[in-house]
CSV table of all heavy atoms in Angstrom, one decimal:
chain,number,residue,atom,x,y,z
A,245,ASN,N,-11.2,22.7,-32.5
A,245,ASN,CA,-10.9,23.9,-31.7
A,245,ASN,C,-10.0,23.7,-30.6
A,245,ASN,O,-10.0,24.5,-29.6
A,245,ASN,CB,-12.3,24.5,-31.2
A,245,ASN,CG,-13.2,25.0,-32.4
A,245,ASN,OD1,-12.8,25.7,-33.2
A,245,ASN,ND2,-14.4,24.4,-32.4
A,369,ASP,N,-30.5,16.3,7.1
A,369,ASP,CA,-30.9,17.5,7.8
A,369,ASP,C,-29.9,17.9,8.8
A,369,ASP,O,-30.1,18.8,9.7
A,369,ASP,CB,-32.3,17.3,8.4
A,369,ASP,CG,-32.3,16.2,9.4
A,369,ASP,OD1,-31.3,15.5,9.7
A,369,ASP,OD2,-33.4,15.9,9.9
A,489,GLU,N,-18.6,-7.4,-11.0
A,489,GLU,CA,-18.2,-8.3,-12.0
A,489,GLU,C,-16.7,-8.8,-11.7
A,489,GLU,O,-16.4,-10.0,-11.8
A,489,GLU,CB,-18.2,-7.7,-13.4
A,489,GLU,CG,-19.7,-7.6,-13.9
A,489,GLU,CD,-19.7,-6.8,-15.2
A,489,GLU,OE1,-18.8,-6.1,-15.5
A,489,GLU,OE2,-20.7,-7.0,-15.9
A,580,GLU,N,-12.7,9.0,19.5
A,580,GLU,CA,-12.0,7.7,19.6
A,580,GLU,C,-11.0,7.5,18.5
A,580,GLU,O,-10.2,6.6,18.6
A,580,GLU,CB,-13.1,6.6,19.5
A,580,GLU,CG,-14.2,6.7,20.6
A,580,GLU,CD,-15.4,7.4,20.1
A,580,GLU,OE1,-15.2,8.4,19.3
A,580,GLU,OE2,-16.5,7.1,20.5
A,613,ASP,N,2.6,-17.5,17.7
A,613,ASP,CA,3.5,-17.5,16.6
A,613,ASP,C,3.0,-16.6,15.4
A,613,ASP,O,3.4,-16.7,14.3
A,613,ASP,CB,3.8,-18.9,16.1
A,613,ASP,CG,2.6,-19.6,15.6
A,613,ASP,OD1,1.4,-19.1,15.8
A,613,ASP,OD2,2.7,-20.6,14.9
Side-chain angles (χ1 to χ4, degrees):
N245 297 305
D369 58 4
E489 288 174 338
E580 303 93 326
D613 62 346

